[in-house]
Amino acid sequence: MDLVAYVETAPRRGETVTGRAFRTVPGGKGANQAVAAARSGGSVSMIGAVGEDDFGVRLRASLADAGVDTTGLRTVEGESGTAHIVVDDDGGNAIVVVPGANGTVDGLADGDEQRIAAADALLLQLEIPLPGVIAAARTAWEHGVSVVLTPAPARPLPSELLAVTGLLVPNEHEAAVLTGKSDPRDAAASLLAHVPEVVVTLGEKGSLYAVRDAEPLWIPAPRVKAEDTTAAGDTFVGALAVARGEGRAMPDALTWASAASALSVQRPGASASMPYRTETDAFAATLNGSRTPS
């Protein structure tokens, strides 16, 4: 559950500021990507866990309302995961995640292998224990299912996970943490030694797509006035997975995902801000495609 405080300027260490609004919004990177994919027209199942608290009830209901199959969503003792978010007037955010029930997802449960095997793609994030991520990714790889990994929160990735990842989607900060390289192009080139495809998201600057033995492509982001960037990256990944599943070429898929992300940042909240397919289609039709970075 996202606990979001809106402020003019985010507080520095030791500083107290007065906020202008507070919202409690269903979130979590996995749930956000599930909702984004569902609203983009995908058929989505969620594997994860919520607690026995009121947040857990609300989180399950919000996924179901978005059309996500929650059969694989476990209910465990204790509290649901929370994210404590400060959003400033420029749309920037800072987030503290408390895993809660997410910390129990350290492996697959009954029925999870069948859910993964039936999918076109498995979207993974790092807000559950790494053994759970690896187990899911390996299962997908064994069944020929594409693994799309968002390495957030950023941490070193074991070779056994990278070996079964088809597409890695870090933001520029995460790419730098993973590689030690601040230039996104250099970071992407370094990551291609471990995975076949990389998309580095660059916020308002767009995204960089890199594949082995080819020049990288820069996909510009639409120019919009951002109100809240909280779920921009998750919206992008969810929409991208649907576009790839439909067989679109990557430049077109990335432009379409960028359109979805640009729509989401103009609205408050996480999953509540995510556009529906008809909205993304209409906005994407007004955009140009990709460029080769200079």
Side-chain angles (χ1 to χ4, degrees), residues 121-244:
L122 173 68
L123 303 188
L124 289 169
Q125 317 78 31
L126 301 180
E127 288 185 344
I128 62 172
L130 204 52
V133 176
I134 293 170
R138 184 182 294 116
T139 297
W141 182 80
E142 291 171 350
H143 289 279
V145 175
S146 173
V147 174
V148 180
L149 173 62
T150 302
R155 69 176 80 172
L157 300 178
S159 58
E160 60 183 318
L161 176 57
L162 291 169
V164 293
T165 297
L167 173 63
L168 189 67
V169 191
N171 63 26
E172 53 189 324
H173 164 72
E174 293 151 2
V177 170
L178 292 174
T179 65
K181 302 179 186 298
S182 59
D183 186 306
R185 289 171 291 187
D186 293 339
S190 180
L191 291 169
L192 287 176
H194 306 283
V195 297
E197 291 182 278
V198 175
V199 174
V200 181
T201 58
L202 307 171
E204 63 183 12
K205 293 177 289 185
S207 60
L208 186 75
Y209 171 61
V211 63
R212 293 170 181 167
D213 301 321
E215 287 295 318
L217 293 177
W218 169 54
I219 312 297
R223 293 186 178 182
V224 297
K225 172 60 177 175
E227 178 178 349
D228 184 351
T229 62
T230 302
D234 295 329
T235 303
F236 179 92
V237 172
L240 178 61
V242 171
R244 281 168 60 92

Side-chain angles (χ1 to χ4, degrees), residues 242-261:
V242 171
R244 281 168 60 92
E246 293 174 349
R248 302 192 194 194
M250 276 300 283
D252 177 53
L254 289 162
T255 298
W256 196 72
S258 293
S261 182

Side-chain angles (χ1 to χ4, degrees), residues 41-53:
S43 176
V44 183
S45 295
M46 176 77 183
I47 296 172
V50 294
E52 294 179 317
D53 53 3

